[in-house]
């Protein structure tokens, strides 16, 4: 405050060189205060009455003068001295052209004989981030280009004195990046100018505040300050009485610290925080005691038990999540310290509970506490907790898409559970390992793992686990059936996998029906339909598809409500990524029902929300779904414009499948618009991309597009060649709709070339396929695949 007064432009203009600063923190008596004031006026001659010397000096010149009495709380708070100090002030204020601003920490002057123009000025605690940056750059202009300037200012807490002193040090040649490293190693010692005073030393300024009578007379104040120094999340005013050990009057201690400007209260969170530069000083000179850490751990443990909900369907989930979020930084700090310095079974259990809270919210995913729990479990040699810690760490790695780390961690967890003969824990590990194997395209391993998982759940009598493992098992086998290798697609049903896959679907369907999970039951029936269709069992496929459709539509209204509620609820509690996934599912559900207008609105909102989250891939796939709807409704102009946007969004992400899909759809649109050369070029590019990805059904569709485009251009030989290649691929993959569509094009080509017998033969074969009951709308399957991509 004094620095701001002394350097203010209006003050300098009015008083010019007649500005005097008196540092009063060493004035332990009225006589010493007079000596300090005399020194600020440079009155050197000895005298028996120094106050009269000062008054005589002031009366000798009637020009306006400014005398700043800084740290005036030191002499003012000395017991029995206020009367003498008041006499000095009254004598000085009798000089009409002398202005005397006084800065004091904490203590408010009484009304008494002295008239104060303003009894209290709110302390200037921190600057706004933009103001702190302007102050720093004004002193050290070269720092404006350094990417770590913002981080440096944040660690300084935007405290004006700290920012100013750091900028002065940096102006001597160091950039903020180097200054940040030095600050982290040297702390407040860095913010000190040799031979300086409290205006040029953060450390000295802190020491003056701690030596003030306001703090010294309140022993609880330093204890509370030590608590705040180790809690990065601050202390909420409503919990202040629960934290500090042996603090008899925490509210009085809080008031003292606020008045001494050692802490501040955030109006947004109603919490108390230590100023950033003060934290390292307190950590070094007033280190938290073991008793303090044990008290903080007790609070954290009780707080976790008081707010137990971790899953959104549990009672009190939203309230508990909000409560934990308000103390997250503090609890994490306390758990880290406890696991490192005082590990115990109870501390590890509390840490695992905390990881479940972090795991429930994608924004809070962190492996730090789980890592510490693993380390502590190894030290305590507690096998059960080691297994649980490894599982928690592996699940977090998996959620973070760090599957290379997840796999060995989960394998270690599984080994520990097997040593403990804990089948339930092992089954949880295996379930995640199976999913990891799918993501890594290790489908044979995935099949082996999921079979073991299902057997474990069957042995445990866990119907929910058994049903979920069966559903994943069916998906794995379906994938193995369609994509054995890029050049050697699976030949149905040579090794009985179709039968195995079908049986898994039937079992899963039955178990989900028993669990009253009709949505998953419908999903399994749809899979059974795919299996039967691929095997040529069209009547069975028809029954399965109709069963899936009936069960699905029976739940459509309820499901729409659930998705809408889930979207709103997840957004309300801050789980924005999950919220937009539910919005995408709602759009897909509406699309399946043919409600394209409502579906388009849902996916348009999904595009906006994915954009706000920075989820570029989600934006691209949502736009591809909008393309599908425009294409189905013959809005080709709108479809093409949206498609180009989708391609522009997906290309920078490196998503080869998404880019290839864009090329294929662009070819379809251009073919329908009669731009056959452009369509042929895009189909060719898409074909090469899908070949690299090993997606043979998409390769076949591109070949069909190339054939149709060549035929439309009158290049019959090229068209016939591409169509026959497509037909061969569709037959290998047993995709009957593709086979029928190619046969129709070949039949049409035969008729155009004057070969009616060949044309008629192809068209009759196509009619036979279409008269079968197994041909489904492939565009619908593609749209569902898009949704699966977004959800993952």
């Amino acid at each position: 405050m004094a620095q701001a007064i002394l350097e203010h432009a209006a003050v300098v203009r009015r008083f010019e060189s007649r500005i005097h600063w008196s540092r009063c923190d060493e004035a332990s008596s009225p006589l010493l205060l007079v000596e300090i004031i005399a020194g600020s006026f440079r009155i050197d001659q000895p005298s028996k009455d120094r106050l009269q010397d000062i008054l005589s000096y002031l009366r000798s010149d009637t020009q306006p003068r400014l005398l700043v009495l800084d740290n005036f709380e030191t002499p003012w708070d000395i017991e029995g001295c206020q009367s003498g100090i008041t006499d000095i002030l009254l004598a000085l204020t009798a000089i009409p052209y002398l202005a005397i601003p006084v800065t004091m920490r904490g203590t408010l002057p009484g009304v008494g004989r002295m008239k104060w123009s303003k009894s209290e000025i709110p302390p200037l605690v921190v600057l706004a981030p933009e103001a702190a940056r302007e102050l720093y750059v004004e002193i050290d202009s070269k720092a404006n280009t350094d990417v770590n300037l913002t981080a440096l200012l944040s660690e300084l807490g935007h405290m004006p004195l700290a920012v100013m002193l750091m900028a002065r040090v940096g102006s001597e040649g160091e950039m903020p990046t180097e200054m940040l490293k030095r600050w982290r190693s040297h702390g407040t010692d860095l913010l000190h100018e040799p031979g300086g005073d409290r205006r040029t030393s953060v450390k000295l300024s802190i020491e003056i505040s701690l030596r003030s009578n306001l703090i010294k007379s309140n022993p609880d104040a330093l204890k509370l300050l030590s608590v705040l120094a180790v809690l990065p999340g601050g202390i909420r005013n409503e919990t202040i009485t629960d934290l500090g050990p042996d603090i008899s009057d925490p509210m009085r201690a809080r008031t003292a610290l606020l008045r001494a400007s050692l802490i501040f209260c955030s109006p947004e969170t109603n919490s108390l925080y230590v100023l950033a530069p003060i934290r390292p000083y307190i950590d070094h000179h007033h280190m938290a005691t073991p008793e303090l850490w044990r008290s903080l751990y007790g609070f954290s443990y009780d707080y976790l038990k008081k707010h137990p909900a971790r899953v959104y369907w549990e009672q009190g989930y939203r309230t508990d999540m909000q409560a934990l979020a308000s103390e997250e930084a503090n609890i994490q700090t306390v758990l880290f310290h406890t696991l490192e310095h005082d590990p115990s079974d109870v501390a590890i259990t509390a840490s695992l509970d905390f990881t479940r809270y972090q795991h429930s919210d994608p924004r809070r995913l962190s492996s730090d506490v789980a890592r510490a729990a693993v380390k502590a479990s190894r030290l305590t040699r507690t096998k059960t907790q080691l297994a649980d810690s490894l599982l928690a760490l592996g699940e977090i790695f998996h959620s973070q898409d760090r599957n290379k780390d997840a796999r060995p961690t989960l394998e270690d967890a599984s080994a520990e559970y097997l040593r403990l003969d804990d089948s339930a824990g092992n089954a949880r590990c295996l379930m995640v390992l199976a999913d990891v194997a799918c993501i890594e395209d290790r489908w044979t391993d995935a099949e082996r793992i999921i079979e073991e998982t299902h057997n474990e759940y069957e042995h445990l009598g866990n119907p929910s686990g058994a049903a979920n493992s069966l559903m994943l098992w069916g998906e794995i086998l379906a994938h193995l059936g369609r994509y054995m290798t890029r050049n050697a697609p699976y030949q149905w049903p040579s090794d009985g996998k179709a039968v195995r896959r079908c049986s898994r679907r039937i079992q899963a369907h039955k178990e989900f029906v028993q669990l009253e999970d009709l949505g998953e039951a419908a999903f399994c029936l749809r899979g059974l339909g795919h299996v039967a269709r691929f095997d040529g069992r069209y009547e069975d496929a028809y029954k399965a598809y109709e069963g899936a459709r009936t069960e699905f539509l029976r739940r459509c209204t309820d499901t729409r409500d659930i998705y809408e509620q889930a979207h709103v609820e997840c957004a309300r509690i801050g789980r924005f990524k999950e919220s937009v996934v539910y919005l995408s599912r709602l759009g897909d559900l509406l699309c399946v029902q043919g409600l394209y207008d409502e579906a388009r609105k849902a996916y348009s909102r999904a595009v906006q929300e994915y954009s706000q989250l920075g989820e570029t891939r989600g934006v691209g796939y949502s736009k591809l779904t909008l393309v599908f709807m425009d294409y189905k409704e013959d809005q080709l102009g709108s479809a093409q414009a949206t498609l180009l946007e989708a391609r522009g969004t997906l290309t920078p992400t490196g998503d080869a499948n998404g880019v290839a899909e864009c090329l294929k759809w662009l070819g379809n649109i251009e073919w329908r618009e009669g731009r056959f050369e452009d369509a042929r070029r895009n189909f060719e590019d898409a074909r090469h991309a899908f070949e690299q990805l090993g997606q043979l059904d998409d390769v076949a569709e591109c070949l069909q597009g190339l054939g149709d485009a060549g035929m439309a251009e009158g290049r019959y030989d090229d068209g016939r060649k591409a169509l026959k290649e497509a037909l061969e691929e569709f037959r290998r993959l047993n995709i009957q709709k593709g086979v029928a569509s190619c046969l129709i094009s070949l039949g049409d080509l035969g008729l155009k070339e004057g070969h009616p017998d060949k044309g008629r033969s192809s068209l009759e074969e196509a009619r036979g396929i279409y008269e079968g009951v197994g041909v489904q709308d492939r565009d619908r399957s593609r749209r569902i695949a898009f949704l699966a991509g977004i959800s993952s």
Side-chain angles (χ1 to χ4, degrees):
M1 181 65 73
Q3 187 82 11
I5 295 171
L6 294 170
E7 297 182 358
H8 195 281
V11 172
V12 174
R13 280 196 305 270
R14 176 167 175 76
F15 296 101
E16 299 178 349
S17 62
R18 299 177 300 279
I19 299 174
H20 310 275
W21 175 67
S22 294
R23 172 182 167 182
C24 303
D25 56 281
E26 295 180 358
S28 56
S29 69
L31 289 177
L32 282 177
L33 176 61
V34 172
E35 285 294 338
I36 290 170
I37 295 172
S40 67
F41 287 121
R42 298 184 181 180
I43 301 173
D44 299 326
Q45 66 272 20
S47 169
K48 293 182 179 180
D49 193 341
R50 298 293 280 166
L51 181 56
Q52 285 302 318
D53 293 341
I54 296 170
L55 297 175
S56 298
Y57 172 79
L58 293 172
R59 294 187 184 113
S60 66
D61 183 359
T62 59
Q63 292 291 320
R65 287 184 181 277
L66 181 75
L67 173 62
V68 178
L69 300 179
D70 197 11
N71 292 343
F72 197 69
E73 71 275 3
T74 299
W76 185 260
D77 287 340
I78 297 174
E79 188 174 352
C81 290
Q82 280 195 7
S83 179
I85 298 297
T86 302
D87 290 338
I88 296 170
L89 292 177
L90 288 171
L92 291 173
T93 54
I95 307 297
Y97 36 83
L98 178 64
I100 311 176
V102 175
T103 69
M104 303 174 68
R105 297 192 182 203
T107 304
L108 298 179
V111 293
R113 295 179 291 151
M114 192 70 225
K115 181 179 180 181
W116 301 88
S117 60
K118 200 176 264 292
S119 61
E120 180 181 15
I121 298 175
L124 177 61
V125 177
V126 294
L127 298 170
E130 299 79 9
R133 188 181 188 91
E134 289 177 8
L135 175 59
Y136 195 105
V137 172
E138 184 178 352
I139 299 171
D140 182 15
S141 58
K142 71 179 187 305
N144 199 33
T145 59
D146 193 295
V147 294
N148 283 314
L149 177 57
T150 301
L152 176 61
L153 295 172
S154 178
E155 294 216 9
L156 294 175
H158 306 113
M159 185 176 172
L161 178 58
V163 172
M164 181 187 69
L165 294 177
M166 186 69 79
R168 287 180 180 173
V169 177
S171 65
E172 298 175 3
E174 291 189 76
M175 295 296 285
T177 297
E178 289 77 29
M179 299 298 295
L180 183 59
K181 294 177 183 177
R182 290 184 60 192
W183 165 255
R184 288 171 176 170
S185 60
H186 294 84
T188 52
D189 289 339
L190 182 61
L191 304 180
H192 175 78
E193 295 182 358
D197 49 48
R198 69 177 290 264
R199 294 179 300 167
T200 57
S201 172
V202 169
K203 182 177 180 181
L204 182 57
S205 179
I206 296 170
E207 289 173 348
I208 291 171
S209 296
L210 293 175
R211 290 201 307 264
S212 69
N213 287 335
L214 182 67
I215 301 300
K216 290 167 68 175
S217 64
N218 189 338
D220 285 341
L222 190 55
K223 293 179 183 178
L224 181 58
L225 188 61
S226 297
V227 174
L228 280 163
V230 300
L231 297 179
I235 298 177
R236 287 178 293 133
N237 280 299
E238 58 265 32
T239 61
I240 191 172
T241 57
D242 302 327
L243 288 174
D246 304 323
I247 299 179
S248 57
D249 193 347
M251 298 309 294
R252 182 166 172 263
R254 167 190 178 276
T255 301
L257 292 173
L258 285 170
R259 288 183 174 177
S261 297
L262 290 167
I263 65 173
F264 68 98
C265 183
S266 168
E268 290 82 12
T269 62
N270 193 32
S271 297
L272 303 171
Y273 298 90
V274 173
L275 290 169
I278 298 175
R279 187 185 305 278
Y281 179 90
I282 299 298
D283 286 342
H284 182 70
H285 296 279
H286 301 279
M287 187 179 298
T289 63
E291 291 78 14
L292 167 64
W293 281 111
R294 280 193 286 272
S295 175
L296 293 176
Y297 169 71
F299 169 81
S300 300
Y301 181 75
D302 291 341
Y303 202 82
L304 287 168
K305 289 177 63 178
K306 184 179 178 182
H307 304 284
R310 302 290 180 269
V311 187
Y312 64 87
W313 60 75
E314 293 178 342
Q315 185 176 4
Y317 170 74
R318 188 170 65 185
T319 303
D320 286 350
M321 291 293 286
Q322 290 174 343
L324 289 171
S326 67
E327 293 290 343
E328 179 177 5
N330 293 338
I331 293 175
Q332 180 163 305
T333 298
V334 172
L335 290 175
F336 271 139
H337 185 277
T338 305
L339 290 173
E340 182 176 356
H341 296 93
D342 191 18
S344 65
D345 294 351
V346 177
I348 296 169
T349 300
S351 300
L352 293 175
D353 189 23
F354 184 71
T355 62
R356 282 189 284 274
Y357 152 72
Q358 290 188 315
H359 198 190
S360 66
D361 188 340
R363 299 173 305 162
R364 295 187 166 89
L365 271 180
S366 172
S367 61
D368 295 339
V369 175
R371 285 178 183 273
V374 170
K375 183 179 178 181
S377 299
R378 295 190 191 281
L379 290 173
T380 59
R381 299 184 178 181
T382 309
K383 296 299 182 182
T384 301
Q385 292 183 322
L386 176 58
D388 291 342
S389 301
L390 287 167
L391 173 57
L393 182 58
E395 288 176 332
I396 291 173
F397 282 150
H398 178 49
S399 297
Q400 291 175 325
D401 293 328
R402 296 169 56 188
N403 290 299
K404 289 184 178 179
D405 295 324
R407 182 180 174 188
T409 305
L410 290 164
E411 287 172 348
D412 289 347
S414 177
E416 292 294 335
Y417 281 123
L418 287 174
R419 291 190 190 99
L420 295 166
D421 197 25
D422 186 340
S423 299
N426 184 46
R428 286 181 61 195
C429 292
L430 292 173
M431 193 74 175
V432 186
L433 279 168
D435 199 41
V436 170
C438 293
I439 293 171
E440 294 179 336
D441 289 328
R442 296 183 294 107
W443 293 97
T444 303
D445 289 343
E447 180 186 6
R448 173 182 54 78
I449 295 169
I450 201 63
E451 183 174 2
E452 186 178 350
T453 307
H454 176 68
N455 292 339
E456 288 278 26
Y457 279 124
E458 285 283 314
H459 176 72
L460 290 166
N462 184 329
S464 178
N468 278 292
S469 60
L470 281 170
M471 186 172 67
L472 181 57
W473 196 350
E475 293 303 302
I476 292 169
L477 291 173
H479 189 96
L480 284 170
R482 293 183 63 192
Y483 306 103
M484 287 297 290
T485 66
R486 181 179 303 172
N487 297 317
Y490 182 73
Q491 301 297 317
W492 300 87
S494 60
D495 68 351
K497 278 186 182 287
V499 176
R500 291 169 56 196
R501 180 173 58 256
C502 186
S503 66
R504 303 306 175 202
R505 297 279 191 168
I506 293 170
Q507 286 178 254
H509 171 257
K510 288 179 179 178
E511 296 194 18
F512 277 120
V513 169
Q514 291 170 359
L515 293 168
E516 296 185 357
D517 192 340
L518 298 184
E520 297 292 359
F523 179 83
C524 294
L525 277 176
R526 191 191 70 191
L528 286 168
H530 291 335
V531 171
R533 175 162 59 89
F534 289 139
D535 290 341
R537 295 181 290 104
Y538 300 130
E539 184 174 351
D540 292 341
Y542 177 79
K543 291 178 181 178
Y545 282 129
E546 279 301 306
R549 178 177 178 276
T550 300
E551 288 192 6
F552 185 71
L553 293 179
R554 183 166 33 148
R555 301 284 291 180
C556 266
T557 302
D558 292 341
T559 305
R560 283 178 60 179
D561 292 340
I562 291 170
Y563 284 162
E564 288 172 349
Q565 292 173 10
H567 167 65
V568 173
E569 182 67 16
C570 287
R572 183 179 297 142
I573 63 175
R575 297 173 63 173
F576 299 109
K577 188 174 181 179
E578 188 173 343
S579 171
V580 72
V581 169
Y582 280 117
L583 184 59
S584 300
R585 290 178 179 176
L586 175 62
D588 187 70
L589 179 62
L590 294 167
C591 202
V592 169
Q593 293 178 278
L595 303 173
Y596 293 129
D597 288 341
E598 293 183 51
R600 189 176 285 106
K601 291 177 183 177
Y603 265 103
S604 296
R605 286 167 56 201
V607 168
Q608 294 176 356
E609 294 188 18
Y610 275 124
S611 298
Q612 293 170 356
L613 291 170
E615 293 285 345
T616 309
R617 186 167 175 265
V619 172
Y621 277 102
S622 296
K623 287 183 177 179
L624 274 175
T625 308
L626 290 170
V627 169
F628 162 79
M629 286 182 279
D630 288 339
Y631 187 85
K632 291 288 287 185
E633 294 186 319
D634 293 325
Q635 299 179 24
L636 300 182
S638 175
Q640 183 169 354
T642 307
L643 186 58
L644 293 174
E645 292 177 7
R647 185 171 67 173
T649 302
L650 290 169
T651 299
T653 68
D655 190 323
N657 178 71
V659 173
E661 287 287 350
C662 290
L663 290 170
K664 185 180 73 173
W665 276 100
L666 192 56
N668 285 327
I669 292 170
E670 289 167 342
W671 182 83
R672 286 184 61 177
E673 290 180 336
R675 295 185 287 123
F676 303 120
E677 185 177 353
D678 292 337
R680 180 161 42 84
R681 183 174 61 251
N682 283 311
F683 279 133
E684 191 65 48
D685 291 343
R687 171 195 175 186
H688 291 314
F690 284 127
E691 284 178 344
Q692 292 295 317
L693 294 169
Q695 296 179 199
L696 301 183
D697 56 339
D698 289 302
V699 170
E701 289 182 6
C702 292
L703 284 169
Q704 182 185 358
L706 284 168
D708 288 339
M711 187 173 68
E713 289 180 300
R715 296 182 296 102
Y716 295 149
D717 290 341
D718 292 341
R720 183 185 299 104
K721 180 181 178 182
L723 287 168
K724 285 186 175 181
E725 288 183 33
L727 178 63
E728 184 178 353
E729 287 294 338
F730 281 130
R731 287 192 193 279
R732 286 178 182 176
L733 297 170
N734 205 22
I735 298 176
Q736 295 301 311
K737 183 180 179 181
V739 171
S741 184
C742 286
L743 288 170
I744 290 172
S745 295
L746 286 169
D748 189 32
L749 179 60
L751 295 174
K752 287 183 178 180
E753 289 183 314
H755 302 294
D757 291 340
K758 292 182 179 180
R760 186 180 301 108
S761 175
S762 296
L763 292 172
E764 285 179 352
E765 184 179 354
R767 185 179 65 179
I769 293 172
Y770 274 115
E771 286 176 349
V773 295
V775 176
Q776 295 292 304
D777 184 348
R778 181 160 179 75
D779 289 336
R780 177 178 298 177
S781 300
R782 176 63 53 202
R783 182 176 65 258
I784 293 171
F786 287 164
L787 177 63
I790 293 170
S791 301
S792 67

